[in-house]
Amino acid sequence: MSNAREYVQSIQEQLHRKDEGQTEFLQAVDEFMPTVIQFLEKHPEYIEKNILGILVEPERIIQFRVPWQDDQGNWQVNRGYRIQYNSAIGPYKGGLRFHPSVNLSILKFLAFEQIFKNSLTGLPIGGGKGGSDFDPKGKSDNEIMRFCQSFMLELAKHIGPSVDVPAGDIGVGAREIGYLFGEYKRLKQYDAGVLTGKSLDFWGSKIRTEATGYGLVYYVKHLLKEEQDTFEGKTVFVSGSGNVAIYAIEKVHELGGKVVTCSDSSGYIYDPEGIDLELLKEIKEVKRQRLTEYANKRSSAEYHAGESVWTLKETVDIALPCATQNEIDDSLADNLVKHGVKIVAEGANMPCTLDAVSVFEKAAVWYCPGKAANAGGVAVSALEMSQNAQRLVWESEQVDTQLDEIMANIYTICRRTAASFGDEKNLLLGANVAGFEKVAKVMAAQGLV
């Protein structure tokens, strides 16, 4: 074994001992580590400085209690977190997630991935993530407001436009960002740049809601273009029915593809005539209903309760998993391969297990990892920071054009980096090495900070 391989394996072993039980975090580390071995062999100076060993440890983990009062006057308490993982190339940047599944492992995995995703954008932002095990579902607006105010009471001590700039994520949309921003303003002062994902009424960015879904499709568009192909006539499977899924569907349809699936936590829709986007938006964005309502109103649609989109046995050209982590395992990956999938691009964070990725690689399927393919959301968040700093609001066309250019650059650097290691089709290798190289260079230049 080379020194680089032994060095990487020793770090993995240490983390598995130290962070035993942090399943999602260790999965992200195990996916990342082997891909940078060849790079470290070419650059032993980073081994000598132990850059990787330093980088895998978060700069700061903040955990706090969040007491809040429900509408019946009862006091409840949740856990709040902020992982400030790496600030080498800029202020910590990453979303806040409010969901019962939130724990330290999930947030560390998300923050670790965010370092390299943000690096790939080419914008000056570091990696972070945060949130709470609070569940906004079933809560009144007043309960959510009181929770957000209590959460920000502690978080405000640790963030700022040049220090740490949180955004939204699962369970944190414009409503929650508004409440969080209002409390920050009461505690500190008006500073538009302290949060992104804000309403357009107080310095949010146009295209921010659409950015992750649009960016995902732009990434695939540039891959298809290099392969002298387009979305025209392609059959696409999408999972999820939140912002990422909805706006990925919208952009695929604009580019001539046909999306035939979407899903929520209860099951999935298969609509061979193509998802009716206006109906989907009405059900999920306006009425906030379950997808069963889509099937009730659309005669061509089938609703499959309690099943995964990826069990569908129909021909598929492109798969866009946009729901949650580990939604595609090796058996579901096998099903996609058997039914003709050529490209799998991650709209969610780590929706494919390591075994699933292996299946795609063996079948010569283009696998586009989330840290590259879904970077559009954080890219437009960084553009929102720029607009806030300039006290300007850019038009939708300007933001959308920049988003497309950023995704083109991310795709290009992933493919070119992979090719430089003799494995042009390995976009995971390209994304990990390109993201890591920039952060490692800056950490070394700054004295390992």
Side-chain angles (χ1 to χ4, degrees):
M1 290 193 296
S2 69
N3 288 334
R5 186 173 298 277
E6 292 171 357
Y7 169 67
V8 167
Q9 288 177 342
S10 71
I11 294 172
Q12 284 180 269
E13 290 167 3
Q14 289 171 26
L15 285 175
H16 275 264
R17 285 196 301 271
K18 291 179 181 178
D19 297 322
E20 185 180 4
Q22 294 185 10
T23 308
E24 295 83 2
F25 172 62
L26 293 173
Q27 180 184 338
V29 167
D30 289 343
E31 177 252 61
F32 171 82
M33 290 294 202
T35 62
V36 297
I37 290 172
Q38 287 179 277
F39 172 77
L40 291 170
E41 286 173 340
K42 288 186 176 181
H43 297 277
E45 66 271 21
Y46 293 127
I47 299 176
E48 293 168 13
K49 294 179 183 293
N50 193 22
I51 290 283
L52 191 57
I54 296 169
L55 187 149
V56 296
E57 293 293 340
E59 292 176 18
R60 194 171 298 107
I61 295 177
I62 301 155
Q63 180 177 330
F64 50 96
R65 68 183 183 191
V66 188
W68 58 280
Q69 200 168 32
D70 65 25
D71 287 342
Q72 288 70 48
N74 301 312
W75 281 96
Q76 309 291 341
V77 64
N78 288 92
R79 287 182 176 178
Y81 303 89
R82 188 66 181 170
I83 314 294
Q84 296 179 332
Y85 216 121
N86 189 285
S87 60
I89 59 176
Y92 308 105
K93 188 83 192 76
L96 297 171
R97 176 176 294 193
F98 292 171
H99 192 271
S101 67
V102 164
N103 58 35
L104 193 58
S105 173
I106 286 175
L107 292 181
K108 282 178 69 179
F109 129 61
L110 291 169
F112 182 70
E113 293 276 292
Q114 199 79 44
I115 299 167
F116 311 110
K117 180 186 299 187
N118 294 359
S119 172
L120 287 168
T121 67
L123 300 168
I125 42 178
K129 206 74 178 182
S132 173
D133 56 1
F134 172 79
D135 188 358
K137 286 185 178 178
K139 306 292 193 304
S140 70
D141 282 354
N142 283 334
E143 287 175 324
I144 291 171
M145 180 182 70
R146 288 192 289 270
F147 174 82
C148 288
Q149 289 171 342
S150 181
F151 185 88
M152 182 54 78
L153 192 63
E154 178 62 30
L155 186 66
K157 301 171 186 176
H158 309 286
I159 64 174
S162 298
V163 177
D164 185 351
V165 184
D169 195 285
I170 294 171
V172 180
R175 173 183 57 179
E176 289 77 16
I177 291 290
Y179 293 146
L180 291 164
F181 184 78
E183 183 66 8
Y184 180 89
K185 183 161 64 79
R186 276 188 287 271
L187 293 167
K188 300 281 190 177
Q189 59 186 3
Y190 191 98
D191 199 325
V194 73
L195 290 167
T196 58
K198 301 181 295 296
S199 163
L200 295 177
D201 295 323
F202 49 98
W203 299 97
S205 176
K206 294 175 181 178
I207 307 294
R208 177 60 190 91
T209 301
E210 299 91 339
T212 307
Y214 279 14
L216 172 67
V217 177
Y218 288 151
Y219 187 95
V220 177
K221 178 187 77 171
H222 293 295
L223 167 58
L224 287 167
K225 182 179 179 181
E226 189 153 2
E227 295 297 297
Q228 299 182 324
D229 203 351
T230 69
F231 268 101
E232 194 68 39
K234 298 290 189 297
T235 299
V236 181
F237 288 4
V238 171
S239 65
S241 52
N243 284 341
V244 181
I246 286 172
Y247 291 102
I249 293 169
E250 181 170 277
K251 188 56 67 173
V252 169
H253 286 177
E254 282 181 20
L255 296 177
K258 182 170 74 171
V259 177
V260 295
T261 68
C262 60
S263 67
D264 59 19
S265 58
S266 299
Y268 77 90
I269 290 288
Y270 172 56
D271 189 342
E273 293 186 5
I275 294 295
D276 183 328
L277 189 63
E278 293 309 310
L279 177 58
L280 180 63
K281 285 184 177 182
E282 177 189 344
I283 288 168
K284 300 308 291 187
E285 295 185 336
V286 179
K287 296 182 178 178
R288 298 180 183 273
Q289 295 173 325
R290 308 302 295 179
L291 281 179
T292 47
E293 288 302 307
Y294 182 98
N296 292 338
K297 294 181 179 180
R298 177 95 163 157
S299 60
S300 60
E302 305 169 4
Y303 181 72
H304 297 262
E307 294 183 36
S308 164
V309 166
W310 313 115
T311 61
L312 182 61
K313 291 175 170 52
E314 299 287 345
T315 300
V316 55
D317 298 304
I318 299 169
L320 305 177
C322 299
T324 190
Q325 65 257 19
N326 294 330
E327 59 177 286
I328 301 179
D329 61 17
D330 54 345
S331 63
L332 297 174
D334 276 327
N335 184 57
L336 284 168
V337 170
K338 285 176 184 174
H339 290 88
V341 75
K342 300 295 186 296
I343 299 171
V344 177
E346 296 183 329
N349 291 304
M350 206 167 69
C352 300
T353 66
L354 289 170
D355 289 339
V357 174
S358 179
V359 169
F360 296 137
E361 289 176 346
K362 288 176 183 175
V365 170
W366 285 100
Y367 167 68
C368 309
K371 63 171 63 70
N374 71 30
V378 75
V380 172
S381 279
L383 297 181
E384 183 176 333
M385 292 165 64
S386 296
Q387 293 170 73
N388 294 162
Q390 296 175 36
R391 297 295 191 265
L392 295 174
V393 176
W394 300 341
E395 291 306 313
S396 299
E397 294 78 11
Q398 181 180 356
V399 179
D400 194 34
T401 298
Q402 290 198 48
L403 171 61
D404 194 6
E405 290 173 355
I406 289 168
M407 298 312 297
N409 290 336
I410 293 173
Y411 164 72
T412 299
I413 194 172
C414 289
R415 185 153 179 174
R416 299 298 175 268
T417 302
S420 72
F421 286 91
D423 196 358
E424 184 183 19
K425 201 164 182 177
N426 192 339
L427 297 178
L428 175 61
L429 169 69
N432 284 344
V433 171
F436 171 68
E437 181 176 10
K438 182 175 181 179
V439 176
K441 281 182 178 178
V442 176
M443 287 177 67
Q446 294 175 354
L448 306 182
V449 294

